[in-house]
Amino acid sequence: MYNLTILEKGCQELGIELDEKKKQQFVDFYELLTEWNKVMNLTGITEFEEVLQKHFIDSLAIQKAVDMNQIFTVIDVGTGAGFPGIPLKIAFPHLRITLLDSLQKRIRFLDEAIKALSLKDVTTMHGRAEEYARRKEHRENYELCVSRAVANLSSLSEYCLPFVKIGGIFVSYKSGNIEEELKQSEHAAAILGGEKEKPIYFQLPGSNIERSFVRIRKIKNTPKKYPRKAGIPAKEPLS
């Protein structure tokens, strides 16, 4: 029997209600994640309470930055093992979520998880952000773009802002203090049609882990030449 106290308390602090069905989906997702992790590298964090805190609550903490009850379309860029996308879908079932990742084996895991958890309105896409962001059906088509991917903010902005519709927002999950990175990426955000909002600094509920959210609001269309070809945003970040 799993002890869900950490998850329950964390969600309470974030103002998120979890019914029994959602709690069971989180448990099922944990079991699937650790089972698949035995044969492929999905996460270095496998202990139950750590997954609850560092993956599930961390994913849901975006509620501090955006009222997820007011959002309907989300793309999760570089979703990896489904973070933050899958926890967000469990907690906020009304969301229509697209999960994008460049590794086919991770997409196979996500497809299996979506099926096992009976999640509706979740789409997986295998490929690179630089390619999908140029497609008409995805470009400037989402109210919210999220990413927990490890990359500098200038590169992430180029991957993510082209997906966001005007008036929408891109939120990057970051650790601790990001003042320097914010300064370096200011020009990139402006070029791509974004405007930085005040970052949010907080401790992960139930821990002393320092986290932060960078919020970039889309105020005008991203110029057609962005994102640049695959690989270039990472090698030559806009400055």
Side-chain angles (χ1 to χ4, degrees), residues 18-160:
L18 290 185
D19 57 22
E20 291 309 311
K21 181 187 174 184
K22 291 175 184 176
K23 288 178 194 174
Q24 189 57 53
Q25 284 176 311
F26 275 116
V27 168
D28 292 345
F29 186 40
Y30 167 76
E31 289 183 338
L32 207 59
L33 177 71
T34 48
E35 193 57 41
W36 277 64
N37 203 55
K38 290 172 187 169
V39 290
M40 58 188 275
N41 184 25
L42 290 168
T43 176
I45 299 167
T46 53
E47 197 265 315
F48 183 64
E49 291 192 347
E50 269 200 288
V51 171
L52 292 187
Q53 190 165 63
K54 294 178 182 175
H55 280 326
F56 295 171
I57 294 170
D58 188 69
S59 293
L60 299 176
I62 195 174
Q63 183 71 355
K64 286 180 174 286
V66 181
D67 181 357
M68 294 305 295
N69 294 297
Q70 302 302 314
I71 297 286
F72 294 93
T73 54
V74 182
I75 184 165
D76 178 1
V77 172
T79 186
F83 302 116
I86 300 273
L88 287 175
K89 178 63 185 179
I90 293 171
F92 302 97
H94 70 279
L95 295 174
R96 295 195 300 280
I97 292 192
T98 299
L99 305 173
L100 173 64
D101 199 83
S102 59
L103 267 189
Q104 182 66 57
K105 60 182 182 177
R106 287 200 287 249
I107 294 293
R108 278 204 309 275
F109 163 71
L110 293 170
D111 286 337
E112 184 60 38
I114 290 160
K115 191 174 157 191
L117 302 175
S118 302
L119 300 175
K120 307 282 181 239
D121 293 323
V122 186
T123 306
T124 59
M125 298 193 308
H126 169 237
R128 300 183 69 122
E130 299 100 317
E131 291 153 10
Y132 275 100
R134 290 186 164 276
R135 296 191 185 181
K136 191 179 165 191
E137 66 270 31
H138 296 291
R139 190 173 183 86
E140 299 189 330
N141 200 39
Y142 298 88
E143 293 168 280
L144 173 65
C145 178
V146 291
S147 186
R148 266 176 108 223
V150 179
N152 76 72
L153 207 44
S154 295
S155 302
L156 274 179
S157 296
E158 190 169 350
Y159 297 142
C160 294

Side-chain angles (χ1 to χ4, degrees), residues 182-196:
L182 278 173
K183 276 185 210 148
Q184 289 170 354
S185 65
E186 204 140 324
H187 187 54
I191 290 172
L192 297 158
E195 182 178 74
K196 287 226 185 69

Side-chain angles (χ1 to χ4, degrees), residues 164-235:
V164 181
K165 56 173 68 173
I166 291 178
I169 192 166
F170 159 48
V171 177
S172 172
Y173 287 64
K174 291 284 181 180
S175 299
N177 195 308
I178 41 150
E179 292 301 327
E180 193 55 40
E181 201 176 341
L182 278 173
K183 276 185 210 148
Q184 289 170 354
S185 65
E186 204 140 324
H187 187 54
I191 290 172
L192 297 158
E195 182 178 74
K196 287 226 185 69
E197 295 188 347
K198 198 175 172 187
I200 292 174
Y201 296 101
F202 65 100
Q203 285 189 331
L204 205 54
S207 79
N208 56 6
I209 300 167
E210 302 286 337
R211 301 290 283 138
S212 48
F213 285 115
V214 177
R215 299 181 297 176
I216 302 176
R217 181 74 58 182
K218 187 75 169 276
I219 57 168
K220 58 185 182 186
N221 296 109
T222 300
K224 283 184 180 169
K225 65 177 178 177
Y226 300 109
R228 291 166 294 166
K229 285 183 181 173
I232 295 175
K235 282 185 200 142

